[in-house]
Amino acid sequence: MSRKSVQEHLKRRLLDHLGIAESHTPEEYPLDIRSVAAALRVSPTTLYKYGFNREINTAEQRQRQNAGSTG
């Protein structure tokens, strides 16, 4: 598998995870680099390498907003 397809596959998995996590509380689905890396079973370094930390940070903000509006 080439690097590009590895990156694309990981991005799909990441986006699926973030979509689920945003609809839950931060306690149920923490959205920090280490927690997401553990959930996806990859190294945090890999997430930084592909620039996915920005996606995670944005999803974390949306998750907090959703939790604030429902709570």
Side-chain angles (χ1 to χ4, degrees):
M1 213 187 294
S2 70
R3 285 253 183 243
K4 190 67 170 173
S5 61
V6 168
Q7 181 180 357
E8 289 170 2
H9 178 70
L10 181 56
K11 184 168 186 166
R12 271 187 261 122
R13 289 177 51 214
L14 173 68
L15 293 177
D16 288 345
H17 179 75
L18 295 180
I20 293 167
E22 284 180 36
S23 63
H24 291 81
T25 65
E27 291 78 23
E28 293 173 318
Y29 280 83
L31 289 180
D32 59 84
I33 298 294
R34 290 194 181 277
S35 297
V36 173
L40 297 177
R41 295 187 177 148
V42 298
S43 167
T45 306
T46 303
L47 297 177
Y48 283 114
K49 173 181 164 182
Y50 294 128
F52 294 151
N53 54 311
R54 291 184 293 271
E55 302 264 356
I56 294 167
N57 292 337
T58 303
E60 181 185 19
Q61 289 173 348
R62 286 191 301 259
Q63 183 187 52
R64 277 190 265 136
Q65 289 171 348
N66 292 341
S69 64
T70 44

